[in-house]
Amino acid sequence: MSVTFTKLFSSITESTVWCEPNSTRIVWITMLAMADRKGRIWASIPGLANRARVTLEETEIALTTFLSPDKYSRTPEHEGRRIEPIDGGWRLLNYEKHRGLMDEETVAETNRKAQARYREKRKESNGKRITVMGCNEQSPQAEAEAEAEAKKEQKTIARFSTSEIEKVYEEYPRKIGKGFAFKAIKKALEALDAEDPVEAMRLRVREFAESPAGHKGEFVPYPATWFNQKRYLDDSREWEKS
């Protein structure tokens, strides 16, 4: 039996599924716990009912709820549906997106540890000195090694989480090529000179989305193209002319 885990965010208590009967909520939590790394639940309806410790009828009601559109869902994809049937069970929709989210505390801790390692490397490199003609001078080899380590360490610092990139992506008027878009947004955020790059970029993208240029439907550039070309640096007056 493989061991997997599902991140359970506190915001689940604010979701529409939390407004459902107790048995439906229990089935939902059970499915989250049973899901593999791709969000698949391998079970029959009786098997799922047994795992959730609810009746067969209650399980069927819960599944009908999860398979149906939900106009009040906070996630617009799939019309608010939570699962889809697959051969041998069901798949949780949007599972991989939510699994990849890092909460702010995790991001902060990752950055703190990476920066601490970076400072330690710099400290060690400063200690690697040799005496040449009575003067203390850093060894060229030690200096090169320290510089390489520093650059490598800096690359490991996760400056922007998936959830932060998602916030920027959601502001863009055309949702297509999400994978490439995320890479382009991350690169753009890293290059942006602002106190709060995420919020600054969100406001800039929203300004574009609300302009005539952002209402051109299929003629709006792919998000990856828009960010890679640094169109967020354009004069916004040009967007009004479109």
Side-chain angles (χ1 to χ4, degrees):
M1 178 178 175
S2 61
V3 178
T4 59
F5 72 93
T6 299
K7 288 187 176 182
L8 186 62
F9 294 93
S10 60
S11 59
I12 190 174
T13 58
E14 301 169 4
S15 66
T16 53
V17 74
W18 215 249
C19 300
E20 298 293 337
N22 287 339
S23 57
T24 299
R25 287 187 289 177
I26 291 172
V27 172
W28 181 240
I29 296 298
T30 301
M31 295 182 80
L32 291 177
M34 293 175 62
D36 65 11
R37 291 186 177 276
K38 293 187 177 181
R40 298 170 298 188
I41 298 99
W42 306 109
S44 62
I45 295 178
L48 179 59
N50 179 62
R51 293 286 291 273
R53 296 296 188 269
V54 299
T55 68
L56 190 61
E57 181 181 2
E58 288 172 331
T59 302
E60 291 176 335
I61 292 174
L63 290 173
T64 299
T65 299
F66 304 151
L67 288 164
S68 302
D70 180 0
K71 67 178 181 178
Y72 297 113
S73 174
R74 295 172 300 172
T75 305
E77 291 96 334
H78 313 292
E79 298 182 304
R81 293 181 177 86
R82 296 180 176 84
I83 63 173
E84 66 178 359
I86 59 174
D87 188 17
W90 305 270
R91 185 175 72 87
L92 299 175
L93 299 172
N94 298 320
Y95 179 81
E96 292 188 37
K97 180 183 79 172
H98 287 92
R99 184 183 176 87
L101 294 179
M102 294 179 67
D103 58 73
E104 293 181 359
E105 290 184 0
T106 302
V107 174
E109 181 65 12
T110 300
N111 287 341
R112 186 191 67 77
K113 291 181 178 179
Q115 289 168 359
R117 291 194 299 269
Y118 169 72
R119 288 193 294 268
E120 186 63 27
K121 292 292 184 181
R122 295 289 295 179
K123 183 178 179 181
E124 290 177 2
S125 67
N126 289 335
K128 295 179 179 179
R129 297 180 179 276
I130 59 174
T131 301
V132 179
M133 296 178 64
C135 298
N136 285 335
E137 181 177 292
Q138 188 172 28
S139 163
Q141 181 178 354
E143 184 177 358
E145 290 177 356
E147 190 66 25
E149 285 292 331
K151 290 181 179 180
K152 180 179 179 181
E153 197 67 43
Q154 284 181 312
K155 290 181 180 180
T156 67
I157 300 177
R159 286 193 61 197
F160 302 103
S161 66
T162 303
S163 60
E164 290 176 317
I165 296 173
E166 178 81 27
K167 289 178 182 178
V168 176
Y169 177 76
E170 286 301 320
E171 297 288 352
Y172 196 77
R174 193 176 185 192
K175 305 294 189 293
I176 191 168
K178 190 171 183 178
F180 290 106
F182 269 42
K183 292 180 180 179
I185 292 171
K186 183 176 183 295
K187 182 179 178 181
L189 288 173
E190 291 173 346
L192 192 64
D193 183 14
E195 183 176 347
D196 187 343
V198 175
E199 187 59 26
M201 186 67 79
R202 284 183 66 190
L203 294 175
R204 191 63 174 161
V205 177
R206 184 181 302 169
E207 185 179 1
F208 170 75
E210 293 175 351
S211 72
H215 286 82
K216 296 174 67 175
E218 62 180 11
F219 295 103
V220 173
Y222 279 30
T225 300
W226 196 84
F227 284 99
N228 280 328
Q229 292 181 351
K230 299 184 178 181
R231 300 291 298 277
Y232 48 87
L233 299 178
D234 289 352
D235 187 333
S236 57
R237 289 174 295 185
E238 294 298 320
W239 301 338
E240 299 297 328
K241 297 178 183 179
S242 300

